[in-house]
Amino acid sequence: MFDIGWGELLVIGVVALVEIGPKELPTVLRTLGQWMGKLRRMASEFQGQFQEALREAEMSDLKKQVDEMASQAKSYANFDPVSDVRKDLESTQHEIETAIAAKPPTDTSSGAGAQAPSPELQSPEVPTLPAPASAEPVAPSAGMDVAASAPAPAEPPAVDAGSDRPDAGGKPA
């Protein structure tokens, strides 16, 4: 705090000895020591009160955090996923029932007076792909096997194991 060295203390001691005198110097030093002790006690008391105020502030922050955690724990304790799913299913069932009740009934028993099904109920049309130009369609006859009517796959050219060319056909060159 104060930067007082040994030389300065010696000067202060000599001035005090000359001014106060050797007879009164011990009582003055004792009184000075008592004041210093009181000053230190007051400083430590102030520091202790300051530290206590900091601890209380920290404790209040910790108490707030604990209270928040406790409220979150209570909200997790009331968590019921089955009831949430049940509510969703009931609302979906209600929507389906209202949708079914809103549609007019259709009569499919009479052929000529039957109404066409609504576009929602019709299946989408599947586009047909054109046949390749090289394939010739063959209609199977009544006594014909379906597998026999299919065109036979083309066989790959024979390859001789000793020949480098695939079209050699196993004939020596």
Side-chain angles (χ1 to χ4, degrees):
M1 197 155 113
F2 297 110
D3 190 20
I4 300 175
W6 286 104
E8 290 145 349
L9 280 176
L10 184 62
V11 171
I12 292 173
V14 170
V15 170
L17 184 64
V18 171
E19 287 295 318
I20 297 172
K23 204 182 216 185
E24 297 292 322
L25 188 62
T27 47
V28 169
L29 289 177
R30 186 178 328 120
T31 307
L32 183 65
Q34 289 174 351
W35 282 11
M36 288 298 287
K38 286 181 183 179
L39 202 90
R40 285 183 180 170
R41 280 191 297 272
M42 286 178 22
S44 66
E45 185 180 328
F46 174 74
Q47 188 177 11
Q49 288 178 351
F50 186 73
Q51 293 292 335
E52 186 177 335
L54 284 176
R55 280 192 297 263
E56 287 177 7
E58 289 176 2
M59 291 298 283
S60 66
D61 289 343
L62 289 174
K63 186 175 182 340
K64 286 179 184 176
Q65 289 177 353
V66 168
D67 290 341
E68 289 174 4
M69 292 169 73
S71 66
Q72 286 179 352
K74 286 179 183 178
S75 69
Y76 289 142
N78 296 334
F79 178 68
D80 188 15
V82 174
S83 67
D84 293 340
V85 170
R86 184 174 292 131
K87 288 177 185 176
D88 289 342
L89 287 175
E90 288 173 357
S91 67
T92 305
Q93 180 183 5
H94 179 69
E95 290 174 6
I96 291 172
E97 289 174 353
T98 55
I100 290 174
K103 292 191 184 219
T106 57
D107 185 21
T108 57
S109 61
S110 62
Q115 296 178 351
S118 66
E120 297 170 351
L121 299 178
Q122 291 180 351
S123 63
E125 292 187 23
V126 179
T128 57
L129 298 174
S134 64
E136 296 179 17
V138 177
S141 61
M144 205 171 154
D145 186 19
V146 175
S149 65
E155 292 187 23
V159 178
D160 184 19
S163 172
D164 290 340
R165 297 184 347 216
D167 59 343
K171 297 178 185 174

